[in-house]
Amino acid sequence: MSVCVIGAGLSGLAAAYALSGRGIDFVCLEKAPDVGGIWRMPGAGEAGPAYRALHLNSAKQLTGFADFPMSCELPLYPRHSDVAAYLRSFAEWAGLLPRIELRTEVLSVRKRRGGGWTVTSRDASGGKVVRTFDQVIVASGHHSEPALPNPLPPGASSFGGTILHSMDYQDGRDFAGQRVVVVGLGASGVDIAADLSRHAERTVLSVRRGLHIVPKQMYGMSVDLIAEASWFTGRSFEEQQRFVEESLMVARGRLSDYGLPEPDHPIFSSAVTISDEILSRIRHGAVLPKPAIASLDGDRVSFADGTSVEADAIVYCTGFRMAFPFLAAGCPTGPQGPVELYRRIVAPDRPGLLFVGLIRPVGSITRLVEAQARWVARIVDGDVALPSADVMRKEIDGYLSGIAERYGLTEGTSVQVDVGPYLRELSEA
Ligand SMILES: Cc1cc2nc3c(=O)[nH]c(=O)nc-3n(C[C@H](O)[C@H](O)[C@H](O)COP(=O)(O)OP(=O)(O)OC[C@H]3O[C@@H](n4cnc5c(N)ncnc54)[C@H](O)[C@@H]3O)c2cc1C
């Protein structure tokens, strides 16, 4: 069985480890000069979803691989460069490096008539290489392209300052002395606003819709460790919601008291934003919350409440779009936009095309990716028989209608998973 893994970030390394554990031959193609995915990019000065102030939001115990824990010398929430170094040391420890071709970009993956896949890549010297494989495991990440509001606010073309997306944001020091508006209350928005607030002359945080902001720790414990604790998982979903909402009232009070919109939905019915810093930076007067941007005019940014500020830069932290330019259209995202994969892994009509890491949990992704990787290795090994394409499509429909009910169906929500139930599903599969 010949297998190609695309990408050597956390997910590609997990897939490679699971394959090598079963003695399955594979090659892993990675376009970057090193392993580590998004975590190595800021250290290499490359544009990407990560930035120089980025630290883990999830505890190192849950973010490191189970068989190769992060060093006890690292803090609970290591910096991006420490995570990148850790991922490299994992690849070394697991003996994966000889199977990883760096600076090798996959250009296309096409189904072969008689079965299997043709993978065309460009190697480090710029030459094209065409190979065939029985199975292809896509682990190329999903924070691929900037998702900017379309259209931008009225008057955007008259704005005299810089408009950028968080993908092009590297370091708050690049904005020293400037007046900056950050748009978005997701993980990147709050991190970047807190970072900028230490360098910029003024930092405004523009927020359209309220989201639950959860500190990294409560009761002295990392929140993702709480989410795993038996005293928490033993409660019903409603009891968990009530417990967290009450704890949040104690830890931080109402978001409206900080000038932020209150969430219009209960906790866990939409993504939460993990941050220890943003509320403190607001209370220190270092970040000024504002509603959505209504319009731009010269260097003036006007907000939905009628107020306005002058700005030199606007940083849109409005999320990412997935991109799989090497795959034919229609997979893994279907015609409506959402990802359509059986158990978030298998493309029903494309035998031998599997995905690892195309999920978005609340908390660390690692245990889920490891479980996906083990299941994928069993599929490759013939240890797991997949159901018919019809049965797989039914599972996808059921899953997506659950997502539609809970979050509303978009490309981004279609990869949302609940840690406990998803782990159980994969371990029983
Ligand atoms: C700002 C931010 C903060 C985050 N914080 C956390 C956190 O605290 N905890 C957590 O668990 N998760 C966090 N995540 C989720 C994070 O995405 C995962 O931790 C993890 O890095 C995902 O790894 P990956 O391998 O799936 O994707 P990536 O890290 O994106 O790696 C994909 C790899 O595929 C390669 N690739 C892409 N296309 C090709 C191609 N055509 N040919 C060859 N190679 C290709 C890329 O170069 C890259 O190396 C965060 C994400 C972001 C954006």
Side-chain angles (χ1 to χ4, degrees):
M1 187 59 66
S2 60
V3 184
C4 176
V5 179
I6 303 176
L10 187 147
S11 302
L13 293 177
Y17 181 59
L19 293 170
S20 84
R22 285 190 159 249
I24 298 168
D25 194 24
F26 69 91
V27 60
C28 176
L29 308 181
E30 167 55 62
K31 69 178 174 183
D34 207 346
V35 305
I38 68 157
W39 299 100
R40 57 160 286 284
M41 291 171 179
E46 289 172 16
Y51 30 83
R52 293 182 71 83
L54 181 67
H55 287 241
L56 278 186
N57 269 339
S58 50
K60 70 170 178 179
Q61 295 92 316
L62 296 177
T63 315
F65 291 109
D67 291 349
F68 187 76
M70 286 193 185
S71 153
C72 54
E73 275 154 35
L74 286 176
L76 186 58
Y77 304 112
R79 192 167 184 250
H80 59 80
S81 47
D82 291 327
V83 180
Y86 162 80
L87 290 171
R88 181 155 236 289
S89 61
F90 170 77
E92 270 165 21
W93 168 82
L96 304 176
L97 291 175
R99 316 257 201 117
I100 300 173
E101 293 181 19
L102 296 171
R103 299 177 196 274
T104 302
E105 180 175 6
V106 172
L107 303 175
S108 86
V109 175
R110 292 291 176 270
K111 204 168 162 185
R112 301 182 74 214
R113 204 164 281 164
W117 297 86
T118 301
V119 175
T120 307
S121 56
R122 184 171 35 226
D123 66 18
S125 65
K128 273 196 187 170
V129 181
V130 180
R131 289 174 257 203
T132 56
F133 295 95
D134 298 306
Q135 315 258 356
V136 173
I137 300 172
V138 180
S140 56
H142 56 99
H143 303 99
S144 319
E145 291 179 352
L148 278 165
N150 187 11
L152 286 168
S157 57
S158 77
F159 185 64
T162 315
I163 294 182
L164 67 154
H165 184 269
S166 62
M167 276 196 124
D168 296 311
Y169 178 93
Q170 285 272 303
D171 194 339
R173 282 174 291 196
D174 299 337
F175 297 84
Q178 296 191 26
R179 300 155 301 175
V180 188
V181 176
V182 176
V183 179
L185 192 62
S188 306
V190 296
D191 262 8
I192 288 175
D195 183 34
L196 278 167
S197 73
R198 297 194 165 83
H199 305 282
E201 183 188 312
R202 186 181 56 220
T203 305
V204 168
L205 179 62
S206 164
V207 178
R208 184 170 50 97
R209 177 175 176 240
L211 287 176
H212 291 277
I213 297 179
V214 177
K216 280 185 172 180
Q217 303 182 71
M218 290 199 289
Y219 307 101
M221 244 179 117
S222 192
V223 288
D224 48 355
L225 291 171
I226 292 181
E228 286 239 314
S230 53
W231 57 263
F232 184 76
T233 53
R235 299 169 190 228
S236 70
F237 182 65
E238 289 70 27
E239 286 169 344
Q240 290 179 354
Q241 277 182 316
R242 205 169 330 118
F243 172 79
V244 173
E245 282 180 349
E246 285 170 8
S247 303
L248 287 177
M249 282 308 288
V250 175
R252 52 130 169 99
R254 290 180 187 287
L255 291 175
S256 49
D257 291 343
Y258 297 81
L260 291 167
E262 284 294 339
D264 58 6
H265 51 277
I267 192 143
F268 304 141
S269 61
S270 177
V272 299
T273 295
I274 305 279
S275 175
D276 269 353
E277 278 210 288
I278 192 62
L279 298 179
S280 163
R281 297 310 285 160
I282 290 173
R283 280 280 158 92
H284 285 82
V287 173
L288 178 66
K290 289 279 182 189
I293 295 179
S295 64
L296 305 175
D297 183 11
D299 62 359
R300 188 151 288 279
V301 181
S302 300
F303 299 96
D305 62 356
T307 61
S308 66
V309 297
E310 288 178 347
D312 303 298
I314 302 174
V315 186
Y316 277 98
C317 301
T318 38
F320 309 94
R321 287 193 62 89
M322 302 170 190
F324 301 93
F326 47 86
L327 293 177
C331 177
T333 47
Q336 321 303 331
V339 169
E340 295 179 5
L341 294 175
Y342 173 64
R343 294 200 158 129
R344 329 304 55 90
I345 294 174
V346 182
D349 301 307
R350 294 167 172 81
L353 187 62
L354 303 155
F355 291 78
V356 172
L358 198 42
I359 43 171
R360 198 167 72 181
V362 176
S364 175
I365 199 172
T366 310
R367 294 291 167 268
L368 308 185
V369 162
E370 288 175 314
Q372 287 189 319
R374 281 193 298 272
W375 194 59
V376 160
R378 288 179 58 210
I379 295 172
V380 171
D381 220 3
D383 198 25
V384 166
L386 291 170
S388 70
D390 275 353
V391 171
M392 290 201 256
R393 273 194 295 271
K394 256 193 210 121
E395 188 270 355
I396 294 168
D397 290 347
Y399 171 77
L400 290 181
S401 55
I403 289 282
E405 216 169 277
R406 190 158 152 200
Y407 304 105
L409 191 54
T410 62
E411 180 187 272
T413 60
S414 69
V415 291
Q416 195 80 33
V417 292
D418 288 323
V419 175
Y422 189 58
L423 277 178
R424 271 195 297 282
E425 185 183 338
L426 289 180
S427 67
E428 287 159 12

